[in-house]
Amino acid sequence: MSTAILTGPPVAGSPLEADLRTLGFDVRTANDAATAADLLAAVPAQERVAVVDPRFVGHLHALRLALTDPRFPAAAVPGALTAQPGARAALARAFGRIPVGAGTAHLTDVLTDTLTESLDREETPLHRVELGSLVATVALTPAQREDAREAVAAVDDEAVRLRTAVKSRDGFFTTYGISPYSRYLARWCARRGLTPNQVTTASLLTALIAAGCAATGTRGGYIAAGLLLLFSFVLDCTDGQLARYSLQYSTMGAWLDATFDRAKEYAYYAGLALGAARGGDDVWALALGAMVLMTCRHVVDFSFNEANHDASANTSPTAALSGKLDSVGWTVWVRRMIVLPIGERWAMIAVLTALTTPRIVFYALLIGCALAACYTTAGRVLRSLTRRARRTDRAARALADLADSGPLAELIAGRARGRGRTGSFLAPVMAFLSAAVLLVWVIFQDDPTSWLTVGVAVCSALLAGAAVARPLKGALDWLVPPFFRAGEYVTILVLAARADVPGALPAAYGLVAAVAYHHYDTVYRIRGGTGAPPRWLVRATGGHEGRIILITVLAAALPPSGFTIALTALAVVLALLVLIESIRFWVSSQAPAVHDEGEPA
């Protein structure tokens, strides 16, 4: 239950109390600021409190945005403000600063505005809602009230609510092929009490059924898989629109939406590979390659964004050119489609699944995503090299967490600390060499399943430790985590492929999926403001360099069939370890409510 305190002169015939009850508030009235403060103190500490002027005139959705959005500890529009439990103390202090006594009434003619200005001076961030065409005002005279009511009647707040349920920036296919009708599906879900998390789960189940259809290896199965994959994407858009429509944001919802997207896509790749195997075509290497490419591409996105999380506006020539291109309508859509975002990618996969073969699907996916990765990464490198900005400690910490360094790299970094210069290119160069030395060896060596490969893996770990020995505040230090991911994932792929026994690549697929989940989980913990996974978990999983050394040891010590069994066992152990800790954390997390709008890729 939430409580709304109406404080100010009453207005006969106002629908305000009914609107507040519609939004779930228990309405109480106060004649003056002192009485309102007493009512505030009487409300249980765990409840949200709103203070509303009875002369408020505005749209119901304006009140909804100001008083029910869970993402902000305090929020306000003219005539109304709210404070969640974390901001209740700040609101109480704001009441305490209200002047009392003769001659002070004019200072608090609109109490809510006085409280809002006072909250602005508090450390608790106050969110001022951007109303756009919505109306929210305090009508002090009958004439003002009549004008405000006419303004309210002139704007359909339900139409505004539907329009703003759709992301302002999205891909071409999503914008024109999905959102025109999925927003109405979101409203249908809201009116039936469905939550975004339930829709997200339905999207996952639909995609898993699509993967099962693809695994049949029949033309009918492929056609059904393509249609179900598209419907899964419709539901994937609907869950976010439902969250925005009904303001049902949560940290867990953002995590489910993000991780389920990856689970759906990678499960579908596995379904295609199983279907192809039924037809006598082994495409597991292509499926694993597609998963590796997509994951590394996302790591580039995450690392670049975290490195620039606290940076000021980018004034580099590259950013200026990008801004000019965005001012020309058609170039915006071309540039968004070039990066093959999730909408375009899933549409391509669905159509090709229905009309062609899994091998062609993976070829198209690998070529398209490789070109998109080159385009986006090159642009980000140019932006990083041409801008002048100091990376913050928070950004450096996030990059270090994304690097996923284990005990060995930590030990090496501790010994090498202080020998590099912060802001130089040493870290990305060392990270690149760490991956390149290992990959060149395992790819071009006649027999990479030897003890020499273990020695090369140890050298790679030494270089990895040197890469993270200094705070990652250089212009290109955001490349360190992607280099580590590429080195680890591709090494697993190559060693499994070179084992050349049935089951090795599917086992490697499961192992990379488990490790990738751990890396995605790290990203969304950081994004949710809760920090990286606990160090014990990172150490227990060995870190990227520990896992590489272990896998090379297994490849050297075991026959191919034994290596396959070992990969399977390792995949199961890692999956259980990271899943149990991740689920425990997200279910019990007290992080602030957020809704992740998703990455364009």
Side-chain angles (χ1 to χ4, degrees), residues 59 165 423 425 459 470 485-486 492 510 549:
H59 288 102
F425 296 121
C459 293
R470 299 290 294 172
R485 296 296 80 76
I492 296 172
I549 292 174

Side-chain angles (χ1 to χ4, degrees), residues 129-197:
V129 177
E130 294 183 10
L131 293 169
S133 59
L134 295 174
V135 176
T137 187
V138 176
L140 302 178
T141 67
Q144 290 178 351
R145 176 168 293 274
E146 186 61 28
D147 290 343
R149 285 174 174 170
E150 290 179 1
V152 169
V155 177
D156 184 353
D157 70 337
E158 178 61 19
V160 173
R161 190 180 178 191
L162 272 174
R163 185 177 68 250
T164 55
V166 178
K167 286 196 292 188
S168 58
R169 183 182 186 278
D170 219 328
F172 182 86
F173 177 73
T174 304
T175 300
Y176 293 105
I178 304 295
S179 293
Y181 55 88
S182 62
R183 69 185 75 183
Y184 296 102
L185 179 58
R187 181 172 66 181
W188 184 89
C189 293
R191 291 177 175 177
R192 283 151 183 81
L194 297 176
T195 67
N197 290 353

Side-chain angles (χ1 to χ4, degrees), residues 115-464:
L115 292 171
T116 298
E117 292 171 3
S118 183
L119 281 173
D120 258 340
R121 298 191 291 272
E122 290 278 347
E123 291 183 1
T124 301
L126 174 70
H127 173 66
R128 292 182 180 268
V129 177
E130 294 183 10
L131 293 169
S133 59
L134 295 174
V135 176
T137 187
V138 176
L140 302 178
T141 67
Q144 290 178 351
R145 176 168 293 274
E146 186 61 28
D147 290 343
R149 285 174 174 170
E150 290 179 1
V152 169
V155 177
D156 184 353
D157 70 337
E158 178 61 19
V160 173
R161 190 180 178 191
L162 272 174
R163 185 177 68 250
T164 55
V166 178
K167 286 196 292 188
S168 58
R169 183 182 186 278
D170 219 328
F172 182 86
F173 177 73
T174 304
T175 300
Y176 293 105
I178 304 295
S179 293
Y181 55 88
S182 62
R183 69 185 75 183
Y184 296 102
L185 179 58
R187 181 172 66 181
W188 184 89
C189 293
R191 291 177 175 177
R192 283 151 183 81
L194 297 176
T195 67
N197 290 353
Q198 289 171 334
V199 178
T200 301
T201 303
S203 176
L204 173 66
L205 293 175
T206 303
L208 293 179
I209 295 172
C213 291
T216 62
T218 64
R219 180 53 52 195
Y222 289 147
I223 293 173
L227 292 173
L228 287 170
L229 186 65
L230 286 176
F231 182 60
S232 174
F233 184 65
V234 172
L235 293 176
D236 184 56
C237 295
T238 301
D239 63 4
Q241 291 165 0
L242 174 59
R244 287 181 286 274
Y245 180 85
S246 57
L247 301 183
Q248 296 184 73
Y249 300 101
S250 69
T251 303
M252 186 173 182
W255 169 71
L256 286 177
D257 186 45
T259 54
F260 280 11
D261 276 353
R262 304 286 77 79
K264 288 181 286 190
E265 189 166 3
Y266 298 160
Y268 192 81
Y269 293 173
L272 285 175
L274 288 170
R278 285 179 176 271
D281 189 12
D282 186 354
V283 296
W284 274 106
L286 295 177
L288 181 51
M291 181 167 66
V292 168
L293 178 57
M294 286 306 310
T295 306
C296 290
R297 195 181 154 196
H298 287 141
V299 173
V300 169
D301 295 339
F302 299 145
S303 296
F304 179 80
N305 291 334
E306 289 302 325
N308 295 281
H309 183 274
D310 300 322
S312 56
N314 193 340
T315 57
S316 70
T318 308
L321 175 60
S322 178
K324 289 180 180 179
L325 290 174
D326 282 344
S327 65
V328 182
W330 66 270
T331 64
V332 175
W333 294 117
V334 170
R335 294 174 68 218
R336 290 184 189 178
M337 293 172 70
I338 285 175
V339 301
L340 207 61
I342 188 169
E344 277 75 359
R345 189 169 69 250
W346 281 28
M348 179 187 76
I349 293 171
V351 171
L352 291 178
T353 298
L355 299 179
T356 65
T357 65
R359 181 172 290 274
I360 293 176
V361 173
F362 285 123
Y363 281 153
L365 189 62
L366 287 166
I367 293 170
C369 289
L371 292 174
C374 291
Y375 169 77
T376 55
T377 305
R380 287 167 177 168
V381 168
L382 287 174
R383 289 187 182 212
S384 300
L385 291 175
T386 55
R387 75 183 308 228
R388 297 290 182 266
R390 297 179 66 87
R391 297 300 191 276
T392 64
D393 290 338
R394 179 203 177 282
R397 179 69 260 165
L399 291 179
D401 291 333
L402 291 174
D404 191 32
S405 299
L408 181 57
E410 284 184 338
L411 177 64
I412 297 165
R415 294 182 177 276
R417 189 157 284 127
R419 299 180 186 178
R421 183 168 60 87
T422 301
S424 69
F425 296 121
L426 181 63
V429 168
M430 288 296 181
F432 171 76
L433 291 175
S434 173
V437 166
L438 182 62
L439 294 182
V440 168
W441 177 268
V442 297
I443 291 172
F444 295 104
Q445 193 64 16
D446 290 336
D447 181 18
T449 59
S450 67
W451 291 104
L452 284 175
T453 304
V454 177
V456 174
V458 172
C459 293
S460 174
L462 293 173
L463 292 168

Side-chain angles (χ1 to χ4, degrees), residues 1-2 4 15-27 60-61 63-64 67-68 157 161:
M1 176 64 71
S2 301
L16 180 59
E17 288 194 36
D19 286 346
L20 290 171
R21 289 192 174 94
T22 297
L23 297 178
F25 284 90
D26 176 27
V27 181
L60 175 62
H61 193 49
L63 279 177
R64 182 181 290 107
L67 305 184
T68 67
D157 70 337
R161 190 180 178 191

